[in-house]
Amino acid sequence: MRILVTGGAGFIASHVVDRYIEKGHSVAVLDDLSTGNRENVNPKATLFECSLLDDQLEAVFKEFKPEVVSHHAAQVNVRRSVDEPAFDAQVNVLGSIQLFEAARKSECRKVIYASSGGACYGEPEDLPAPEETLVRPLCPYGVSKGTAEVYLEFYGRLYGLPYTILRYANVYGPRQDPHGEAGVVAIFSEMMIRGQRPSIFGDGSKTRDYVYVEDIAEANVLALEKGDGGVYNVGAGRQITDDEIFNAIRDALGAEMTPIYTDFRTGEVRHICLDASRIRRDLGWSAKTPLEEGIPKAVKFYQEKLARSRPASGE
Ligand SMILES: NC(=O)c1ccc[n+]([C@@H]2O[C@H](COP(=O)([O-])OP(=O)(O)OC[C@H]3O[C@@H](n4cnc5c(N)ncnc54)[C@H](O)[C@@H]3O)[C@@H](O)[C@H]2O)c1
């Protein structure tokens, strides 16, 4: 299958690209490298260095002729979305519309869209939150991710463009940028490796649903064949506290450290956890990697990354 992966130089989508290539698909990456990194792009994939907002977008479709588009490119920085909501909407809403337009005018037969359960649902009353939970974001990033979903559903209705929407929980694993959405594992790991004490906003009891990036890549493989017209939560369905995640990283590093507790940040979700029973039923997906296995793999990546960036002694 010919698959165009937008954002494929970034954290999550670079793992999706790797899995697609392992499965024997022909893959191209469309990425403007604004937060992504050329080194993340699998050498077997063709890289189109291009923005979603570029006029060249249709030319990329004409040249590569994707059968499936996996849409991961986005402005993912929650703080930036608060400071610059128009920029956030430009990339995540207008950029997505440009992409859906190019897809529907081409031979493309499906769009898979990476959305965000955590950012779209805000602070739901019932946990784990099912897909029927109202979209009530607490930040512009959640609004823009949810708005692109509505556009994609509209393209499905009006033009018959098949799609699957995957609403991710907090994704973690190798290659994560500490500045993106849900970068806590990357932030804590890098700080602790440097011997710095990380800050936890609040008393350590906030909870998130952490899912390992390779499990997310597997959901993207299954969505190639299944889930047309569906919206799916993709999470482990477990509430993990800030303290638990801190301790898991500290233990993986064998470090002795305590966090610094600071005030809760306004607008931040206190508790979120996704009900993933629909994707289990329709796609046969479930989170396979427990935290005890995923955290040491992520931590090892940051140890190696920081060791590479340190000049060797004596130079
Ligand atoms: N990280 C998470 O926990 C999480 C959770 C839910 C949803 N998501 C979604 O998953 C997707 C990937 O997120 P990530 O964490 O890997 O972030 P990331 O920043 O690592 O990846 C985003 C990629 O998009 C590229 N990009 C940004 N603007 C672009 C543009 N205008 N044109 C082309 N490329 C552009 C960046 O260069 C980068 O490579 C995003 O759509 C995000 O909303 C992430």
Side-chain angles (χ1 to χ4, degrees):
M1 212 179 271
R2 301 175 68 76
I3 309 171
L4 179 67
V5 182
T6 74
F11 160 50
I12 298 173
S14 64
H15 289 273
V16 174
V17 169
D18 291 349
R19 275 298 278 141
Y20 283 161
I21 286 174
E22 258 174 51
K23 288 270 169 190
H25 297 295
S26 163
V27 179
V29 165
L30 183 139
D31 200 300
D32 68 356
L33 303 180
S34 50
T35 59
N37 196 326
R38 206 180 282 279
E39 281 102 73
N40 289 341
V41 180
N42 190 305
K44 290 189 180 145
T46 309
L47 172 64
F48 291 98
E49 197 177 327
C50 168
S51 169
L52 293 169
L53 297 156
D54 249 326
D55 291 341
Q56 283 176 44
L57 195 67
E58 284 195 20
V60 170
F61 274 75
K62 285 205 177 97
E63 187 178 332
F64 184 67
K65 299 185 179 62
E67 296 164 84
V68 173
V69 172
S70 158
H71 179 30
H72 281 78
Q75 186 306 112
V76 299
N77 186 321
V78 173
R79 292 284 130 197
R80 186 166 186 192
S81 82
V82 175
D83 294 341
E84 299 174 61
F87 172 73
D88 177 80
Q90 195 179 21
V91 178
N92 295 355
V93 181
L94 297 182
S96 297
I97 294 172
Q98 287 256 87
L99 183 76
F100 302 156
E101 270 293 291
R104 70 124 181 135
K105 288 180 189 163
S106 74
E107 305 291 298
C108 171
R109 58 166 193 77
K110 179 161 187 176
V111 176
I112 300 169
Y113 171 54
S115 188
S116 171
C120 286
Y121 298 140
E123 189 81 69
E125 277 169 22
D126 298 321
L127 294 178
E131 289 82 356
E132 292 80 12
T133 307
L134 286 180
V135 173
R136 275 198 194 130
L138 295 179
C139 60
Y141 166 73
V143 178
S144 64
K145 293 300 293 181
T147 303
E149 283 191 11
V150 181
Y151 270 99
L152 186 54
E153 283 161 351
F154 161 79
Y155 273 80
R157 265 194 309 281
L158 194 73
Y159 301 114
L161 179 67
Y163 65 87
T164 298
I165 295 168
L166 300 175
R167 289 181 180 157
Y168 301 158
N170 277 42
V171 189
Y172 74 97
R175 304 183 195 148
Q176 185 164 25
D177 180 338
H179 307 294
E181 185 189 349
V184 69
V185 172
I187 297 167
F188 283 9
S189 301
E190 291 200 2
M191 288 189 77
M192 285 196 233
I193 293 166
R194 291 195 179 101
Q196 299 160 344
R197 287 173 70 199
S199 293
I200 287 182
F201 299 108
D203 59 5
S205 65
K206 285 202 309 302
T207 58
R208 298 284 182 270
D209 181 348
Y210 290 92
V211 59
Y212 191 62
V213 68
E214 284 176 14
D215 289 338
I216 291 286
E218 190 55 31
N220 280 271
V221 170
L222 295 168
L224 291 174
E225 305 290 350
K226 294 179 184 168
D228 281 10
V231 180
Y232 295 99
N233 285 338
V234 195
R238 255 187 81 198
Q239 282 181 259
I240 307 287
T241 65
D242 289 348
D243 278 340
E244 282 178 276
I245 208 80
F246 179 92
N247 292 341
I249 297 168
R250 185 197 54 199
D251 295 349
L253 281 167
E256 282 191 28
M257 207 178 267
T258 50
I260 302 167
Y261 294 101
T262 60
D263 290 343
F264 276 109
R265 289 190 296 190
T266 44
E268 205 172 7
V269 175
R270 299 244 173 161
H271 298 287
I272 185 71
C273 174
L274 308 183
D275 177 350
S277 34
R278 187 186 286 177
I279 192 167
R280 194 178 314 122
R281 186 194 64 208
D282 289 3
L283 275 71
W285 179 92
S286 60
K288 295 259 169 10
T289 314
L291 215 56
E292 305 76 52
E293 201 182 300
I295 290 288
K297 285 191 195 172
V299 162
K300 184 165 177 276
F301 167 82
Y302 296 108
Q303 282 175 313
E304 288 169 359
K305 177 183 159 193
L306 293 185
R308 275 197 307 275
S309 66
R310 261 185 229 126
S313 57
E315 278 179 18

